[in-house]
Amino acid sequence: THTHTQLSPRLQDDVRRYTAVRFGQLPPHIFATAEATFDNIQNNEGNQSVIISGESGSGKTETTKLILQYLTAVTNNPAWIEQQILEANTVLEAFGNAKTLR
């Protein structure tokens, strides 16, 4: 496991706590979802999607960043994950700049 330098000590502890733990064995946390995603990528060798939805200002962007930081921290190939993040950034920005209609 790699420790990503951008993670705070608290988040580093959370990464260690949720790494290689089956979904539902620990209290709900975004890292539980991220770990389940990572596990499915490794074991099923397929693409994964995580849908993050909510009202404007509910923390969707921060949640996305936490998932990406988790994946970067637990992978054996952080450079590949970082490249995937860079490639996905345009899409994330497009959604982030979308107007919320009510």
Side-chain angles (χ1 to χ4, degrees):
T1 301
H2 299 273
T3 302
H4 198 270
T5 57
Q6 293 179 348
L7 293 176
S8 69
R10 180 177 174 265
L11 287 179
Q12 288 176 17
D13 289 343
D14 287 341
V15 166
R16 283 188 286 276
R17 184 174 176 204
Y18 282 86
T19 299
V21 175
R22 292 186 59 91
F23 191 80
Q25 288 184 325
L26 290 174
H29 192 284
I30 193 59
F31 287 170
T33 301
E35 176 59 30
T37 301
F38 184 64
D39 184 60
N40 281 324
I41 290 169
Q42 287 186 307
N43 293 322
N44 299 324
E45 297 183 7
N47 295 327
Q48 290 290 296
S49 297
V50 177
I51 298 173
I52 302 168
S53 64
E55 295 289 325
S56 179
S58 64
K60 297 178 297 294
T61 300
E62 290 305 311
T63 298
T64 301
K65 288 178 186 177
L66 286 170
I67 288 175
L68 295 174
Q69 287 175 337
Y70 182 90
L71 294 174
T72 302
V74 299
T75 187
N76 290 327
N77 192 352
W80 180 83
I81 291 288
E82 288 170 5
Q83 181 61 37
Q84 299 307 304
I85 293 167
L86 289 174
E87 290 177 13
N89 195 41
T90 303
V91 175
L92 293 174
E93 285 182 11
F95 281 109
N97 293 327
K99 183 176 180 182
T100 303
L101 299 176
R102 297 190 190 267

